[in-house]
mmCIF file of all heavy atoms in Angstrom:
data_model
loop_
_atom_site.group_PDB
_atom_site.id
_atom_site.type_symbol
_atom_site.label_atom_id
_atom_site.label_comp_id
_atom_site.label_asym_id
_atom_site.label_seq_id
_atom_site.Cartn_x
_atom_site.Cartn_y
_atom_site.Cartn_z
ATOM 1 N N GLY F 209 22.445 190.730 112.753
ATOM 2 C CA GLY F 209 23.200 191.810 113.322
ATOM 3 C C GLY F 209 22.667 193.111 112.741
ATOM 4 O O GLY F 209 22.378 194.154 113.476
ATOM 5 N N GLY F 210 22.413 193.114 111.439
ATOM 6 C CA GLY F 210 21.853 194.311 110.732
ATOM 7 C C GLY F 210 20.557 194.701 111.357
ATOM 8 O O GLY F 210 20.183 195.882 111.677
ATOM 9 N N ILE F 211 19.697 193.636 111.496
ATOM 10 C CA ILE F 211 18.369 193.881 112.024
ATOM 11 C C ILE F 211 18.428 194.555 113.359
ATOM 12 O O ILE F 211 17.710 195.477 113.740
ATOM 13 C CB ILE F 211 17.564 192.513 112.102
ATOM 14 C CG1 ILE F 211 17.234 192.069 110.689
ATOM 15 C CG2 ILE F 211 16.171 192.685 112.966
ATOM 16 C CD1 ILE F 211 16.083 192.726 109.932
ATOM 17 N N ALA F 212 19.229 193.843 114.212
ATOM 18 C CA ALA F 212 19.395 194.361 115.609
ATOM 19 C C ALA F 212 19.778 195.818 115.675
ATOM 20 O O ALA F 212 19.338 196.589 116.565
ATOM 21 C CB ALA F 212 20.369 193.580 116.394
ATOM 22 N N MET F 213 20.659 196.182 114.590
ATOM 23 C CA MET F 213 21.129 197.557 114.684
ATOM 24 C C MET F 213 20.099 198.563 114.070
ATOM 25 O O MET F 213 20.009 199.680 114.547
ATOM 26 C CB MET F 213 22.439 197.736 113.861
ATOM 27 C CG MET F 213 23.631 197.240 114.624
ATOM 28 S SD MET F 213 25.091 197.653 113.750
ATOM 29 C CE MET F 213 25.980 196.173 114.135
ATOM 30 N N ILE F 214 19.364 198.068 113.109
ATOM 31 C CA ILE F 214 18.465 199.104 112.470
ATOM 32 C C ILE F 214 17.172 199.222 113.138
ATOM 33 O O ILE F 214 16.476 200.182 113.044
ATOM 34 C CB ILE F 214 18.250 198.556 110.945
ATOM 35 C CG1 ILE F 214 17.754 199.750 110.134
ATOM 36 C CG2 ILE F 214 17.214 197.485 110.796
ATOM 37 C CD1 ILE F 214 18.859 200.495 109.353
ATOM 38 N N MET F 215 16.738 198.141 113.913
ATOM 39 C CA MET F 215 15.416 198.134 114.474
ATOM 40 C C MET F 215 15.170 199.293 115.450
ATOM 41 O O MET F 215 14.107 200.019 115.198
ATOM 42 C CB MET F 215 15.263 196.823 115.380
ATOM 43 C CG MET F 215 14.621 195.706 114.474
ATOM 44 S SD MET F 215 13.188 196.238 113.587
ATOM 45 C CE MET F 215 11.957 196.198 114.884
ATOM 46 N N PRO F 216 16.101 199.739 116.217
ATOM 47 C CA PRO F 216 15.727 200.887 117.125
ATOM 48 C C PRO F 216 15.467 202.082 116.279
ATOM 49 O O PRO F 216 14.632 202.988 116.660
ATOM 50 C CB PRO F 216 17.003 200.953 117.991
ATOM 51 C CG PRO F 216 17.650 199.703 117.962
ATOM 52 C CD PRO F 216 17.413 199.141 116.656
ATOM 53 N N ILE F 217 16.273 202.238 115.212
ATOM 54 C CA ILE F 217 16.122 203.485 114.370
ATOM 55 C C ILE F 217 14.739 203.429 113.720
ATOM 56 O O ILE F 217 13.923 204.384 113.653
ATOM 57 C CB ILE F 217 17.249 203.534 113.405
ATOM 58 C CG1 ILE F 217 18.539 203.679 114.132
ATOM 59 C CG2 ILE F 217 17.047 204.664 112.327
ATOM 60 C CD1 ILE F 217 19.852 203.585 113.345
ATOM 61 N N VAL F 218 14.329 202.236 113.124
ATOM 62 C CA VAL F 218 13.108 202.114 112.419
ATOM 63 C C VAL F 218 11.999 202.376 113.491
ATOM 64 O O VAL F 218 11.061 203.089 113.173
ATOM 65 C CB VAL F 218 12.912 200.577 111.923
ATOM 66 C CG1 VAL F 218 11.569 200.410 111.332
ATOM 67 C CG2 VAL F 218 14.011 200.399 110.799
ATOM 68 N N TYR F 219 12.140 201.789 114.681
ATOM 69 C CA TYR F 219 11.063 201.964 115.641
ATOM 70 C C TYR F 219 11.034 203.505 116.147
ATOM 71 O O TYR F 219 9.910 203.895 116.333
ATOM 72 C CB TYR F 219 11.382 201.016 116.853
ATOM 73 C CG TYR F 219 10.226 200.643 117.621
ATOM 74 C CD1 TYR F 219 9.328 199.754 116.973
ATOM 75 C CD2 TYR F 219 9.927 201.198 118.827
ATOM 76 C CE1 TYR F 219 8.316 199.368 117.675
ATOM 77 C CE2 TYR F 219 8.769 200.744 119.511
ATOM 78 C CZ TYR F 219 7.891 199.846 118.896
ATOM 79 O OH TYR F 219 6.744 199.511 119.569
ATOM 80 N N MET F 220 12.147 204.093 116.178
ATOM 81 C CA MET F 220 12.101 205.492 116.492
ATOM 82 C C MET F 220 11.343 206.336 115.510
ATOM 83 O O MET F 220 10.561 207.126 115.819
ATOM 84 C CB MET F 220 13.609 206.072 116.620
ATOM 85 C CG MET F 220 13.705 207.545 116.720
ATOM 86 S SD MET F 220 15.490 208.069 116.733
ATOM 87 C CE MET F 220 15.819 207.951 115.032
ATOM 88 N N ILE F 221 11.638 206.038 114.255
ATOM 89 C CA ILE F 221 11.049 206.785 113.170
ATOM 90 C C ILE F 221 9.458 206.377 113.073
ATOM 91 O O ILE F 221 8.581 207.276 113.090
ATOM 92 C CB ILE F 221 11.627 206.512 111.803
ATOM 93 C CG1 ILE F 221 13.022 207.165 111.804
ATOM 94 C CG2 ILE F 221 10.811 206.944 110.653
ATOM 95 C CD1 ILE F 221 13.911 206.753 110.677
ATOM 96 N N SER F 222 9.226 205.119 113.259
ATOM 97 C CA SER F 222 7.888 204.632 113.332
ATOM 98 C C SER F 222 6.963 205.348 114.385
ATOM 99 O O SER F 222 5.905 205.902 114.212
ATOM 100 C CB SER F 222 7.827 203.122 113.536
ATOM 101 O OG SER F 222 6.557 202.708 114.109
ATOM 102 N N THR F 223 7.688 205.431 115.627
ATOM 103 C CA THR F 223 6.934 206.028 116.754
ATOM 104 C C THR F 223 6.717 207.485 116.493
ATOM 105 O O THR F 223 5.640 208.093 116.794
ATOM 106 C CB THR F 223 7.741 205.800 118.067
ATOM 107 O OG1 THR F 223 8.023 204.425 118.152
ATOM 108 C CG2 THR F 223 6.994 206.226 119.253
ATOM 109 N N SER F 224 7.653 208.155 115.730
ATOM 110 C CA SER F 224 7.502 209.544 115.615
ATOM 111 C C SER F 224 6.401 209.942 114.707
ATOM 112 O O SER F 224 5.949 211.031 114.499
ATOM 113 C CB SER F 224 8.889 210.090 115.083
ATOM 114 O OG SER F 224 9.054 209.738 113.789
ATOM 115 N N LEU F 225 5.978 208.886 113.959
ATOM 116 C CA LEU F 225 4.789 209.046 112.973
ATOM 117 C C LEU F 225 3.505 208.632 113.571
ATOM 118 O O LEU F 225 2.509 208.587 112.801
ATOM 119 C CB LEU F 225 5.139 208.251 111.681
ATOM 120 C CG LEU F 225 6.494 208.692 110.915
ATOM 121 C CD1 LEU F 225 6.688 207.749 109.749
ATOM 122 C CD2 LEU F 225 6.303 210.134 110.452
#
Side-chain angles (χ1 to χ4, degrees):
Chain F
I211 292 284
M213 281 188 220
I214 203 96
M215 270 312 282
I217 295 167
V218 172
Y219 208 71
M220 170 182 79
I221 291 167
S222 151
T223 309
S224 74
L225 299 174

